[in-house]
């Protein structure tokens, strides 16, 4: 019997689900490109659909608004992070597991990952002038935090205080959010000093100092 926490292995998606996710990501990238080029105010849903090569009705089948279209791009990093954390070997210790998974998920391993961070930077910069885009960013983080609770609970063990589990999930999610927002305000590279990985680990250490569950 596996000793990995429940939820460590993500369910296999069907072909239809994979195609849907691929279409959503294509639309998200098109929206990000246009927001970077023209800004959200200068971009319409019709523009995004045309750039993505889909019909406008397909766009609205997946997204409620032009700002909502970038949600899959903003959520992708959180999905990878939770998968890394869920795959942690038992006994590794929650603080160390959080730090390693955060650093790994925010350190670009290839050109595609680095491009994803650049898209995030551009979208966060655009969000400073667009309340609807900021709302999408905050919603993505809230949804990530809610999904993270189950992973943290599995790693913390059955005797963990539910309130502390919730606080730990909130602290880890906010560490990444604040790190990305702070990085987006600068021209620092995606790796090395001042990069998202370094900033997020620093934020996590600051936040977890007074939390019993996250204090080694």
């Amino acid at each position: 019997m596996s000793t990995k926490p429940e939820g460590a292995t993500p369910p296999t998606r069907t072909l239809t689900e994979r195609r849907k996710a691929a279409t959503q990501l294509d639309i998200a990238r098109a929206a990000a490109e246009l927001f970077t080029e023209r800004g959200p105010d200068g971009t319409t849903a019709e523009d995004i659909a045309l750039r993505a090569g889909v019909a406008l009705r397909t766009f609205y089948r997946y997204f409620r608004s032009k700002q909502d279209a970038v949600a899959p791009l903003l959520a992708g990093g959180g999905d990878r992070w939770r998968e890394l954390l869920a795959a942690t070997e038992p006994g590794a210790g929650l603080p160390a597991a959080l730090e390693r998974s955060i650093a790994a998920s925010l350190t670009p391993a290839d050109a595609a990952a680095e491009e994803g961070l650049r898209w995030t930077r551009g979208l966060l910069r655009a969000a400073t002038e667009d309340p609807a885009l900021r709302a999408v960013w905050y919603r993505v983080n809230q949804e990530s935090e809610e999904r993270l609770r189950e992973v943290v609970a599995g790693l913390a063990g059955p005797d963990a205080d539910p309130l502390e589990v919730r606080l730990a999930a909130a602290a880890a999610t906010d560490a990444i959010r604040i790190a990305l927002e702070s990085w987006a305000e600068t021209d620092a590279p995606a790796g090395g000093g001042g990069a998202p990985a370094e900033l997020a680990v620093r934020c996590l250490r600051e936040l977890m100092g007074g939390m019993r569950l996250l204090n080694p």
Side-chain angles (χ1 to χ4, degrees):
M1 181 179 296
S2 174
T3 55
K4 289 283 184 70
E6 186 177 353
T9 303
T12 302
R13 293 189 294 183
T14 66
L15 178 59
T16 299
E17 289 171 334
R18 292 198 298 274
R19 285 175 175 168
K20 177 181 176 181
T23 300
Q24 289 176 317
L25 194 56
D26 285 343
I27 295 172
R29 288 187 178 121
E33 289 174 0
L34 289 166
F35 288 173
T36 300
E37 294 170 11
R38 310 175 187 176
D41 286 344
T43 302
T44 66
E46 290 86 348
D47 294 333
I48 297 170
L50 182 63
R51 177 70 65 93
V54 301
L56 185 59
R57 65 178 180 275
T58 300
F59 175 92
Y60 281 116
R61 186 183 307 148
Y62 293 130
F63 303 109
R64 295 169 293 180
S65 68
K66 60 185 180 182
Q67 289 90 349
D68 192 43
V70 299
L73 206 57
L74 293 173
D79 293 339
R80 289 190 296 275
W81 168 42
R82 289 191 303 277
E83 289 177 7
L84 286 169
L85 183 61
T88 299
E89 291 297 328
L94 183 57
L98 282 169
E99 283 197 17
R100 282 197 298 269
S101 62
I102 285 174
S105 66
L106 290 176
T107 300
D110 51 35
E114 189 167 350
E115 181 185 45
L117 281 175
R118 287 198 300 269
W119 285 130
T120 298
R121 170 183 263 162
L123 291 171
L124 291 179
R125 287 178 173 178
T128 60
E129 303 295 331
D130 191 295
L133 189 54
R134 284 201 304 276
V136 171
W137 170 240
Y138 291 139
R139 190 193 79 218
V140 164
N141 279 273
Q142 180 62 36
E143 291 172 352
S144 180
E145 178 186 324
E146 291 170 358
R147 295 187 183 106
L148 181 62
R149 288 180 201 166
E150 182 180 355
V151 181
V152 171
L155 292 171
D159 297 328
D161 184 335
L163 179 61
E164 292 189 4
V165 167
R166 186 167 185 169
L167 284 170
T173 302
D174 277 348
I176 291 180
R177 178 183 62 80
I178 293 169
L180 286 170
E181 290 173 354
S182 299
W183 175 70
E185 295 172 353
T186 74
D187 293 320
E198 181 190 61
L199 292 173
V201 170
R202 177 184 169 189
C203 288
L204 180 65
R205 288 175 179 174
E206 293 287 343
L207 288 169
M208 73 182 188
M211 298 175 60
R212 183 172 55 184
L213 187 61
L214 291 181
N215 201 328

